[in-house]
Amino acid sequence: MTPVWILSDYYNNINCCISFNILQLLKKNLIFLKIHVFLFAVPNLSSRLRFQSSSSDMTPNPRLRRSRYIFASNMAANGAVCSSKTKLQDGRCVVKEVNGVRNIFSEQVEYSKLLETKDSNGVPPKKKPVRSKESFEEVPLYTAVMTYLGFYLLMFLGYFNQLFFTPKVAMEKNREGYVPLFDRFESFYLRYVYRRVRDCWNQPICSVPGAEIVLKDRITKDYGWTFEYTGTFTKCLNLGSYNYLGFAEADGPCADAAAEAIEMYGCAMCSTVQELGTHPLVVELERTTAKFLGTEDAIVFGMGFATNSLNLPSLVSPGCLVLSDEKNHASLILGLRLSGATIKVFRHNNMLSLEKLLRDAVIYGQPRTRRPWKKILIVVEGVFSMEGSIVHLPDIIRLKKKYKAYLYLDEAHSIGALGENGRGVLDYYGCDPNDVDILMGTFTKSFGSAGGYIAGSKRLIDHLRVNSHAACYASAMSPPIAQQIITSMKIIMGEDGTLEGKKRIIQLARNARYFRRRLKQIGVIIYGNDDSPVVPLLVYMFSKIGAVVRTLRTRNIATVGVGFPATPLMEGRIRFCISASHTKEQLDKALEVIEEISDTLGLRYSQLPRFKGEVVYGSDDESQ
Amino acid sequence: MATQWVLLEVFQALNEVPFYHIFLEVGLLMWILWLIFHKSYNPKELEQLTDFEKEKLIEEWTPEPLVGNVAQNHPSLKPRMVSGKAGKFINVDGHYCLNMATHNYLGFVGNKDIEESAIKTLQKYGVGSCGPRGFYGTVDVHLDLEDRLTEFMKMEEAVVYSYGFSTIASAIPAYAKRGDVIFVDENVNFAIQKGLDASRSKIRFFKHNDMVDLERLLMDQAALDKKNPKKAQVTRRFLIVEGIYMNSGNICPLPELVELRKKYRLRIFVDESISFATLGDHGRGVTEYYNIPREEVDMISCSMEWSMATIGGFCVGSSFVVEHQRLSGLGYCFSASLPPLLAAAAITSLDIMEKDPTLFKKLQQQCQLVHKALSTLPLFILQGDPDSPVKHLYLRNPPNCTNHEFNLLSKIADFCIEHGIAVVTAAYLQTEKFTPRNSIRVTVNNMLTGDEINNVAVVLEKASSEVL
Ligand SMILES: Cc1ncc(COP(=O)(O)O)c(C=O)c1O
């Protein structure tokens, strides 16, 4: 069993600390990679073995992989056979007796109790169809083996290549005798593995990133070392930009207002917020944001990434514990690292794992000093950008209340994109904004602008105004950027007197559901929640990421591929981002192409039974 | 055959030994088995908490509040409101003032050409780019801007970030890792400090602009390296300085730094957020100012939020060094790209700078004039290079308490704003590595006239004698 444990360690490493200085991590894993070379066929088998053996243990095995749990879904309706330890109940994800541990998922009954007790101020409790249907279908064994084989072949060819051909890259001049600036393995990976698919990323565009996008064509004559622009352009359907509500527009009310703001205030203030950077638009934006989210106050910053990385340090400090989802965004991880707080990672969206950590933290306190933690902060995202899953917010709120932890919710991908009124996950689940201590989000996505906000109680926001690194040292938000957000937010709220915002929200929800259901029908494996506009399509193999992105591009569909090291080695994927500006016809066209290429490229991995009937656009029929 | 033989022998042996011996042997064997398998007393088990106790502990635990209380009269809660453009003149809380506070050194705020190009770009590309650079967030405007910056700085490659603060803060940890050593000036700005934190390298601070102190540290390090040559072979060494220091207004002694760089094999990164487009005959910054070939510096990082009057930042250097950030700069990879209209504004600022290099000469003259005027103030000590557009005024006779000092300076700033001169106290947080002394930060722009500069000095003097 020893090699099995080593392998599982390797998994753990990849799963837990993804994407934070990725290449460094790669290096760390090199030794494990080497072991893999000898044991390439074992991993999948071994994790299965582990799963079975651990199910008799009393404690849940922390090394279990996330994908072993299938937080599933309408598979029950489909009559699908699910993983042995998972039981499904009418659309709610309920994990029963995983590894013999008491089920910590609230049943539906408990939920409604919770919702009812909360609304004591006479407001009737919102009865929402809670339809968190999430699926992470397991990879077939054969594919797993082939994926590893393929990756090692790629590595092997790379080494071979490196032996015989000098790389066509710039060399450092005039620094002889210095310690090399870059790590050897890092350079190798970039030059000989990543380069082969380099053309799939950083594709320049020259249009609005709306429903359609104009790509600036480029070719490479030397297998990805260099690129040349051909001077031609290709118009593609845009399934890659985060333009959820379609506010990336070059004309219309938002653009006009932004242009006016430039004339009125210029492009920048050349000062920080605390000095002389506060202009009326910033104040109006903060007020509008607070109103939109239903919180007491809000504060805005010029960049979403900086909102996370520069504000978390003023909220937690050494002696505090942070429980962070393993799939959290790099900006959150950076912020936590800068804060000096102790970080523990729980498995993606896994309440069992979270509760165990919370419980242990409260009971046992800090590991060496045995003092109680100063405070415990749970950090999660609303919609996870790589998984397409929606956070189990009601569960987390329940846990947070029970263990008196604080909750930081990053709504970068969910604000505007989820909920009846576009107010994000809170709206989607009908939760009370006051139950989340810190509501963070970005304006980059649904609002078609840039920047980020933090909303919450007045006390919190006052604290940030005084102590936030960004408020004190980073420059104030640019006026046209702020104006774009104000205008688009007012449209979403319906304050412009039209139903435009509502229409977009509904269109997005329909598009996302329709697209996801049709994909499932095709038989490809997609991750995440049925309502999420982020749709990751699993292709597993490293080289297939390149193949799919390129093929789709020749068929005039622009998508994004994500592979190792941004995802686990096993889980290369293509990510579609659905927008409200897509029409059904456009989606149909895309689906047609995907169906076609899933035969030629072999993407129909799903082993679940498929829905046979016709998927009707805009229907909410649960049986589908 | 052989096994049969052995068995036979065993049987014979058993037959021959006395009965009590077998008894003893079996007894011994069972005892050993018992020793191995018996359930021993485990002190850990007794220490384990019962469920009831656990629940009780959970109930008893009270965390600290998420945030502390802030005084409701804290100045940051009611920042001064600027209405309209922050150009040469600025409207602060309804007072029409001469702007001596924002970092608009070249007067590009409100420039018609820049605004026009921004609006034109807005009408073509919309506002946001809706994606990081890797995922369809690279608009051709970004590529143009990078080319233009490379050309302007006469270097090989530039990468554009979407926020000034994140530029250097992401660039440092892209190169410096755990185990590396970074030599840094004590007075570096907060963005650099955060970059250092994120790198987890060993940080050695030297006294502000003190080359002797730096060399002392370098010699220490050299001695360490000698002791452990194996480790020295993998320890990268960096030197990080600012062109003009935001926190002091001084210019770094680049020629000496470059000498030390060569002698001790360091890689030098210069944050030119202020010195870019202010120093040098063509505004190329501190390297041009000292006439040092730019290859001597490994990387230059600048914010576009000050002289260029837009948002964002960039790093320039050799392709070998800078290209790396496209995959390792966190703020570059994991954040949406700069809105195209702001990139277009930056391109137009570059156009203006290239077309009219007299801008920089004029700015330098103004800086010297302001320096002369402010150095006569009796109640202040002036810090900052005469050529620097950022200057700090400290109280000549400071009170013992820093809070009191800050309040006095704020009152002076208030008085100035009421009398038509916008100056501010520099804002710092307690989390600075070495909290800088409270000061009034005065900035210079190239549109000032002689009379206006004299007036600034007069108002400051009046304010200080009024308040102190
Ligand atoms: C969860 C999350 N937080 C923060 C950000 C950063 O936002 P911005 O692009 O505005 O810097 C992103 C962007 O990808 C994100 O996905």
Side-chain angles (χ1 to χ4, degrees):
Chain A
M1 284 300 271
T2 13
V4 174
W5 288 114
I6 294 174
L7 289 171
S8 66
D9 255 342
Y10 165 55
Y11 273 130
N12 237 18
N13 267 336
I14 289 199
N15 282 345
C16 294
C17 19
I18 43 143
S19 81
F20 208 70
N21 219 330
I22 298 156
L23 291 163
Q24 181 119 48
L25 175 113
L26 243 177
K27 182 181 126 200
K28 215 167 62 197
N29 281 312
L30 184 58
I31 178 156
F32 295 121
L33 278 173
K34 280 181 187 157
I35 295 167
H36 261 306
V37 176
F38 298 108
L39 293 168
F40 56 82
V42 188
N44 201 267
L45 208 66
S46 64
S47 48
R48 270 164 210 235
L49 276 177
R50 241 183 313 122
F51 182 64
Q52 271 153 20
S53 64
S54 65
S55 58
S56 57
D57 288 348
M58 274 311 286
T59 47
N61 185 343
R63 290 189 162 109
L64 279 184
R65 292 189 57 209
R66 187 241 323 123
S67 57
R68 303 291 140 194
Y69 297 107
I70 303 184
F71 282 149
S73 68
N74 53 351
M75 280 190 280
N78 289 338
V81 187
C82 301
S83 167
S84 58
K85 294 290 149 194
T86 312
K87 197 175 167 201
L88 306 159
Q89 280 190 0
D90 50 48
R92 275 244 31 94
C93 47
V94 177
V95 177
K96 282 264 184 188
E97 284 186 3
V98 176
N99 306 333
V101 168
R102 187 171 57 93
N103 161 31
I104 63 112
F105 277 89
S106 54
E107 313 259 337
Q108 201 131 27
V109 201
E110 239 175 277
Y111 262 140
S112 32
K113 244 193 271 162
L114 217 118
L115 285 174
E116 265 152 21
T117 49
K118 196 177 56 206
D119 292 277
S120 51
N121 47 358
V123 188
K126 261 194 200 164
K127 264 276 181 260
K128 300 206 69 155
V130 186
R131 44 161 130 93
S132 162
K133 289 180 295 290
E134 216 143 88
S135 72
F136 290 98
E137 196 181 333
E138 233 173 284
V139 50
L141 177 63
Y142 171 73
T143 316
V145 173
M146 291 313 282
T147 307
Y148 279 105
L149 262 181
F151 190 75
Y152 292 126
L153 188 66
L154 213 61
M155 298 276 281
F156 175 74
L157 286 181
Y159 275 120
F160 196 71
N161 207 330
Q162 193 181 28
L163 228 52
F164 292 105
F165 303 98
T166 40
K168 284 173 72 173
V169 289
M171 289 298 166
E172 193 166 31
K173 289 169 220 124
N174 200 9
R175 296 287 186 274
E176 286 85 20
Y178 283 55
V179 178
L181 187 55
F182 304 126
D183 187 82
R184 260 180 55 210
F185 181 72
E186 203 174 303
S187 320
F188 160 76
Y189 187 79
L190 292 183
R191 288 172 190 171
Y192 293 99
V193 182
Y194 167 71
R195 175 187 42 94
R196 290 167 185 279
V197 286
R198 215 178 128 198
D199 57 318
C200 297
W201 290 278
N202 296 306
Q203 172 77 45
I205 64 169
C206 33
S207 73
V208 188
E212 290 187 314
I213 194 168
V214 177
L215 305 185
K216 187 171 175 172
D217 294 335
R218 52 179 192 176
I219 51 165
T220 171
K221 290 180 177 158
D222 46 11
Y223 306 102
W225 291 112
T226 56
F227 291 98
E228 284 168 32
Y229 295 103
T230 57
T232 57
F233 302 94
T234 314
K235 196 170 201 172
C236 288
L237 175 64
N238 182 6
L239 290 176
S241 297
Y242 305 131
N243 176 27
Y244 298 123
L245 288 181
F247 280 110
E249 292 166 322
D251 43 29
C254 297
D256 293 346
E260 233 167 76
I262 295 179
E263 276 165 9
M264 182 95 178
Y265 295 98
C267 287
M269 304 304 288
C270 298
S271 186
T272 67
V273 174
Q274 287 192 359
E275 289 172 9
L276 288 182
T278 312
H279 50 96
L281 290 181
V282 167
V283 178
E284 185 183 351
L285 176 58
E286 289 179 344
R287 224 174 278 141
T288 318
T289 308
K291 187 169 159 214
F292 178 57
L293 295 164
T295 56
E296 278 177 14
D297 203 353
I299 180 169
V300 299
F301 304 98
M303 182 200 200
F305 186 94
T307 309
N308 278 334
S309 58
L310 300 182
N311 284 307
L312 277 167
S314 47
L315 295 172
V316 283
S317 54
C320 300
L321 176 70
V322 178
L323 301 176
S324 157
D325 191 291
E326 65 176 330
K327 300 290 180 188
N328 271 349
H329 190 254
S331 55
L332 291 167
I333 303 173
L334 177 62
L336 295 177
R337 195 158 97 174
L338 290 177
S339 75
T342 308
I343 307 167
K344 286 199 177 146
V345 176
F346 62 93
R347 284 201 306 281
H348 176 56
N349 233 345
N350 186 330
M351 297 303 112
L352 205 65
S353 169
L354 174 62
E355 177 156 28
K356 181 163 182 342
L357 287 178
L358 267 174
R359 227 181 138 74
D360 286 354
V362 176
I363 294 172
Y364 299 112
Q366 304 190 31
R368 282 180 45 241
T369 58
R370 294 285 167 215
R371 292 283 156 79
W373 294 101
K374 283 198 225 158
K375 51 194 170 195
I376 300 178
L377 181 70
I378 303 171
V379 180
V380 289
E381 289 179 30
V383 167
F384 288 84
S385 58
M386 289 295 165
E387 312 300 303
S389 44
I390 299 178
V391 67
H392 299 312
L393 193 64
D395 292 304
I396 292 194
I397 291 180
R398 191 175 54 78
L399 287 181
K400 147 197 158 57
K401 283 187 175 161
K402 178 167 173 201
Y403 295 99
K404 297 172 214 132
Y406 301 105
L407 179 57
Y408 186 105
L409 177 64
D410 180 340
E411 294 224 63
H413 290 265
S414 54
I415 190 71
L418 280 187
E420 251 169 72
N421 307 301
R423 288 175 194 173
V425 251
L426 287 167
D427 195 9
Y428 178 77
Y429 285 114
C431 297
D432 184 349
N434 296 323
D435 283 342
V436 180
D437 303 275
I438 306 138
L439 278 167
M440 180 270 168
T442 67
F443 299 125
T444 330
K445 282 110 194 168
S446 298
F447 301 95
S449 188
Y453 65 80
I454 286 186
S457 64
K458 179 155 187 315
R459 190 181 151 117
L460 169 78
I461 303 302
D462 281 352
H463 173 83
L464 289 177
R465 281 188 208 288
V466 174
N467 293 307
S468 160
H469 299 173
C472 188
Y473 297 102
S475 74
M477 203 171 206
S478 158
I481 306 300
Q483 183 62 56
Q484 158 89 12
I485 307 163
I486 296 172
T487 317
S488 54
M489 200 179 273
K490 287 197 168 151
I491 292 177
I492 297 172
M493 288 196 280
E495 283 192 3
D496 62 335
T498 66
L499 288 176
E500 179 64 26
K502 255 298 183 292
K503 244 172 31 202
R504 288 183 194 229
I505 292 167
I506 293 172
Q507 175 88 0
L508 174 64
R510 286 183 171 174
N511 281 354
R513 286 179 74 76
Y514 177 71
F515 193 74
R516 278 179 161 269
R517 276 189 258 169
R518 283 287 305 275
L519 279 181
K520 277 191 187 154
Q521 206 175 24
I522 290 173
V524 293
I525 294 185
I526 52 175
Y527 273 2
N529 192 296
D530 274 2
D531 291 327
S532 136
V534 180
V535 189
L537 182 159
L538 273 283
V539 301
Y540 300 107
M541 282 169 220
F542 198 75
S543 39
K544 262 192 199 180
I545 300 171
V548 173
V549 171
R550 286 179 200 134
T551 318
L552 285 177
R553 211 174 268 167
T554 57
R555 307 289 302 267
N556 290 13
I557 297 173
T559 55
V560 171
V562 196
F564 186 68
T567 68
L569 180 55
M570 279 292 301
E571 299 179 15
R573 61 193 69 178
I574 303 295
R575 190 181 58 181
F576 304 110
C577 288
I578 304 302
S579 160
S581 57
H582 294 137
T583 60
K584 176 174 182 286
E585 289 67 40
Q586 284 172 324
L587 294 181
D588 279 337
K589 185 193 140 211
L591 286 161
E592 206 173 285
V593 174
I594 293 166
E595 180 149 25
E596 231 179 283
I597 66 163
S598 44
D599 282 327
T600 47
L601 294 175
L603 303 181
R604 298 190 202 245
Y605 288 116
S606 177
Q607 294 166 330
L608 301 178
R610 296 171 207 164
F611 176 64
K612 292 284 189 315
E614 192 191 345
V615 177
V616 184
Y617 182 79
S619 86
D620 267 349
D621 187 357
E622 290 297 312
S623 69
Q624 291 179 9
Chain B
M1 283 294 281
T3 35
Q4 275 175 5
W5 257 107
V6 173
L7 281 178
L8 204 70
E9 264 179 54
V10 168
F11 259 110
Q12 271 170 358
L14 274 180
N15 264 340
E16 276 163 28
V17 293
F19 181 68
Y20 70 88
H21 187 98
I22 294 183
F23 204 72
L24 197 73
E25 290 273 344
V26 170
L28 274 174
L29 190 74
M30 278 171 61
W31 188 51
I32 290 170
L33 286 177
W34 180 82
L35 271 181
I36 294 173
F37 289 110
H38 88 288
K39 210 161 179 283
S40 62
Y41 160 75
N42 182 356
K44 276 243 173 77
E45 229 159 66
L46 291 184
E47 275 172 22
Q48 292 229 326
L49 298 168
T50 62
D51 276 350
F52 177 73
E53 283 169 325
K54 283 183 182 172
E55 291 300 328
K56 205 152 171 226
L57 278 172
I58 291 170
E59 215 154 272
E60 276 170 6
W61 183 60
T62 35
E64 282 181 12
L66 179 61
V67 291
N69 268 327
V70 289
Q72 282 305 307
N73 60 359
H74 195 285
S76 302
L77 295 182
K78 281 197 190 58
R80 297 190 172 100
M81 175 79 79
V82 176
S83 22
K85 290 176 196 171
K88 179 178 174 184
F89 296 98
I90 185 171
N91 189 334
V92 185
D93 289 335
H95 303 287
Y96 186 73
C97 300
L98 180 70
N99 185 356
M100 299 292 287
T102 73
H103 302 262
N104 176 28
Y105 314 127
L106 298 175
F108 285 169
V109 170
N111 183 300
K112 278 284 156 254
D113 291 342
I114 294 177
E115 285 176 10
E116 220 165 82
S117 85
I119 291 175
K120 227 188 250 154
T121 314
L122 165 69
Q123 283 158 354
K124 184 169 178 210
Y125 295 100
V127 175
S129 60
C130 284
R133 287 292 292 269
F135 300 164
Y136 302 105
T138 306
V139 184
D140 51 4
V141 186
H142 294 128
L143 299 177
D144 282 353
L145 175 58
E146 284 173 356
D147 287 348
R148 291 294 304 279
L149 286 168
T150 315
E151 209 179 292
F152 182 83
M153 290 299 281
K154 301 221 178 316
M155 296 185 97
E156 287 175 11
E157 180 133 2
V159 288
V160 168
Y161 281 80
S162 55
Y163 210 36
F165 192 106
S166 293
T167 309
I168 187 77
S170 295
I172 294 172
Y175 303 99
K177 310 279 179 204
R178 182 170 296 206
D180 298 341
V181 186
I182 310 181
F183 299 91
V184 197
D185 192 288
E186 262 180 14
N187 252 2
V188 288
N189 62 40
F190 199 72
I192 296 180
Q193 293 172 28
K194 289 297 114 182
L196 298 176
D197 284 351
S199 76
R200 305 200 234 192
S201 309
K202 202 163 102 193
I203 315 291
R204 311 297 307 270
F205 285 102
F206 59 90
K207 295 216 176 65
H208 183 44
N209 271 353
D210 185 345
M211 291 306 103
V212 180
D213 195 38
L214 172 60
E215 183 141 25
R216 179 183 62 82
L217 292 179
L218 287 168
M219 282 192 303
D220 279 359
Q221 181 64 32
L224 270 180
D225 288 349
K226 224 179 228 141
K227 253 192 249 159
N228 195 348
K230 243 202 180 128
K231 192 166 163 220
Q233 270 176 13
V234 292
T235 309
R236 283 170 284 239
R237 268 144 275 187
F238 298 93
L239 176 59
I240 297 175
V241 292
E242 275 183 86
I244 294 177
Y245 287 87
M246 178 62 110
N247 294 353
S248 74
N250 291 329
I251 299 178
C252 71
L254 195 62
E256 285 96 325
L257 289 165
V258 167
E259 279 315 306
L260 288 175
R261 193 223 83 204
K262 280 186 196 153
K263 190 166 164 197
Y264 292 94
R265 295 196 170 147
L266 311 165
R267 286 192 173 80
I268 180 167
F269 295 167
V270 186
D271 181 354
E272 295 221 47
S273 294
I274 300 174
S275 52
F276 173 76
T278 56
L279 289 185
D281 292 342
H282 300 88
R284 298 203 183 105
V286 68
T287 44
E288 191 180 34
Y289 181 77
Y290 284 117
N291 219 346
I292 286 174
R294 257 180 294 287
E295 301 83 69
E296 298 295 332
V297 174
D298 291 81
M299 191 188 72
I300 293 174
S301 151
C302 306
S303 154
M304 300 194 287
E305 288 158 4
W306 310 142
S307 357
M308 286 172 91
T310 172
I311 300 285
F314 64 92
C315 290
V316 284
S318 65
S319 292
F320 175 81
V321 176
V322 170
E323 177 82 31
H324 182 69
Q325 287 179 45
R326 294 194 196 273
L327 286 162
S328 305
L330 288 179
Y332 182 90
C333 298
F334 294 103
S335 176
S337 57
L338 184 65
L341 72 98
L342 295 174
I347 293 178
T348 315
S349 330
L350 280 176
D351 282 341
I352 301 171
M353 277 154 41
E354 278 175 358
K355 221 182 310 160
D356 183 12
T358 58
L359 282 175
F360 309 111
K361 207 159 269 155
K362 191 146 170 250
L363 176 64
Q364 233 125 88
Q365 279 165 8
Q366 308 290 11
C367 291
Q368 282 156 10
L369 286 177
V370 171
H371 195 85
K372 213 149 114 214
L374 294 187
S375 53
T376 59
L377 296 175
L379 294 172
F380 288 109
I381 301 173
L382 175 67
Q383 195 188 19
D385 196 277
D387 288 338
S388 151
V390 172
K391 301 180 191 299
H392 286 262
L393 289 172
Y394 303 101
L395 291 181
R396 195 172 284 275
N397 304 308
N400 283 335
C401 160
T402 51
N403 276 344
H404 188 55
E405 186 182 14
F406 183 79
N407 289 341
L408 287 177
L409 290 167
S410 301
K411 271 189 201 143
I412 294 174
D414 287 343
F415 183 95
C416 290
I417 286 174
E418 276 158 29
H419 291 78
I421 303 290
V423 289
V424 289
T425 47
Y428 301 114
L429 291 180
Q430 288 305 311
T431 39
E432 289 258 5
K433 289 274 178 333
F434 305 92
T435 314
R437 204 180 137 191
N438 285 317
S439 66
I440 287 181
R441 196 195 291 119
V442 180
T443 63
V444 183
N445 62 63
N446 67 352
M447 299 165 291
L448 298 172
T449 63
D451 286 349
E452 283 162 349
I453 292 171
N454 289 337
N455 188 31
V456 171
V458 170
V459 171
L460 270 166
E461 185 168 355
K462 213 156 78 188
S464 53
S465 50
E466 189 91 354
V467 172
L468 298 175

